[in-house]
Amino acid sequence: MADKRFFPSLGLLVTAIAVVIAWAVSQTGRWPLEWLRMQQFDSSGSEHPGPEIYMFSEDPVVVYVKDFISAQEAAHLVQLADGRFTPSPMWDNDGKPHIDKAYRHSMTAKLDRTDVIIKGIEKRAISFPFYKHFGDFMPIVVQNYGISGQYRDHYDWFDDVHAVGGNIASTFFVYIHANCTGGGTNFPRLTPPDDERWCEFIDCDRPFDEGVTFKPILGNAIYWENLHEDESGHKLTLHAGMPVTTGNKMGMNMWTWKVA
C-alpha cells in the first residue's frame, strides 16, 4: 500500500487557519461547517484530496472528519482484527473490567501498533490542527457490532483518576466497516445543528430531543475531548453505540491517555 503523508507545510497553516476561524466566529457567532480540507500526497508525489474537517462543537470539542482513512486502510484494519475478537468488557471507575452483554453487546480486538498502516494513521491523527497532545495513544482496538449489537450510554472518562493513574483525555472513533442499518453513534446531550448540510453525516430524521446521532459511514471519524480544563469529566460527552438492525458495523477506537 502506498505511503501517504500530509502536506509538509501544514504546520505553517495552523496559525492562519486559527485567524480565519476566529474571524468567522466573530462575524457569525457559529463555527464554519467546513473548517479545513487537507491535501495528501502518495508515494509518487501526486497530490489528491485528503480528509475534510468539520467543527461540530466548541464545548465540548467535537470534530467530524470525512475520509479520515481510505477504504484500503479500513479493509487492512478489518483483516488485522480477524481472529482476535473477544467479548467487549465494561470498565468500572476503578479500572476493573467486567462483562455485561445487556448493556454492551459487541466484540473487541486489540491491534498491533507496530503495524505500518496503524503507525501512519496515528501520525495522521496527531497532525490535525485540532488535536491536543495530552499524552500517548492507548492500544488501538476494534469494536465489532453484529445484529442487535450496541453499547448503551457511557462515558470514555473515569471518575476516579487516582485509582487508574490517569484518564482518557480524547477519543477518535473511526468507522472501518459500515455495511449495516442502525448502529449510529448517539450523543444524547449534544444539540442538533440547524444547518441541513450536516444531514450528510447526522441522522436528521431522529427526534430533536434524542440529541445527535452520527451515521456509520466507512472511513469517517468523530473526535471529541472528554475532559474539562480542570481535568474533570465532561458530562456532555455521554454517548452510545445504537443497536445494529441489519448487517455489521466495526469501529476503531484511538484513545489518548493523560497521566494523572
Side-chain angles (χ1 to χ4, degrees), residues 37-204:
R37 177 189 290 274
M38 304 178 77
Q39 298 295 317
Q40 295 186 114
F41 291 79
D42 61 26
S43 57
S44 67
S46 299
E47 183 178 351
H48 59 90
E52 296 177 21
I53 302 174
Y54 300 89
M55 191 76 181
F56 183 84
S57 169
E58 182 182 5
D59 183 24
V61 171
V62 180
V63 181
Y64 192 87
V65 186
K66 181 180 179 181
D67 298 326
F68 177 80
I69 60 173
S70 68
Q72 292 78 12
E73 289 170 328
H76 178 76
L77 295 170
V78 170
Q79 184 179 29
L80 283 181
D82 186 42
R84 300 188 181 191
F85 287 108
T86 58
S88 300
M90 300 279 295
W91 298 92
D92 297 329
N93 279 319
D94 59 2
K96 295 179 180 179
H98 66 278
I99 303 296
D100 183 352
K101 290 185 178 181
Y103 204 91
R104 186 182 190 187
H105 183 40
S106 65
M107 304 290 283
T108 296
K110 292 184 179 180
L111 302 187
D112 182 2
R113 288 182 65 192
T114 64
D115 178 84
V116 64
I117 301 301
I118 290 179
K119 284 185 175 181
I121 292 171
E122 289 184 346
K123 185 177 180 181
R124 182 181 311 157
I126 64 176
S127 74
F128 287 128
F130 61 79
Y131 182 75
K132 296 177 183 176
H133 295 258
F134 295 113
D136 192 18
F137 285 121
M138 298 173 67
I140 307 300
V141 295
V142 168
Q143 318 293 349
N144 188 353
Y145 295 87
I147 295 176
S148 299
Q150 65 176 322
Y151 192 175
R152 298 181 186 273
D153 288 344
H154 64 282
Y155 298 109
D156 284 356
W157 46 270
F158 295 97
D159 281 327
D160 191 349
V161 297
H162 300 292
V164 296
N167 218 336
I168 297 176
S170 64
T171 300
F172 275 99
F173 185 72
V174 189
Y175 299 104
I176 66 172
H177 185 71
N179 183 21
C180 67
T181 58
T185 305
N186 175 253
F187 288 80
R189 294 176 179 171
L190 293 184
T191 302
D194 57 7
D195 189 329
E196 292 184 356
R197 291 178 296 174
W198 276 105
C199 296
E200 178 182 353
F201 312 124
I202 290 173
D203 187 349
C204 294

Side-chain angles (χ1 to χ4, degrees), residues 236-257:
L236 294 184
T237 63
L238 185 73
H239 60 285
M242 303 298 285
V244 172
T245 53
T246 65
N248 178 260
K249 178 189 79 172
M250 293 189 197
M252 179 179 69
N253 283 110
M254 300 170 63
W255 292 302
T256 300
W257 182 257

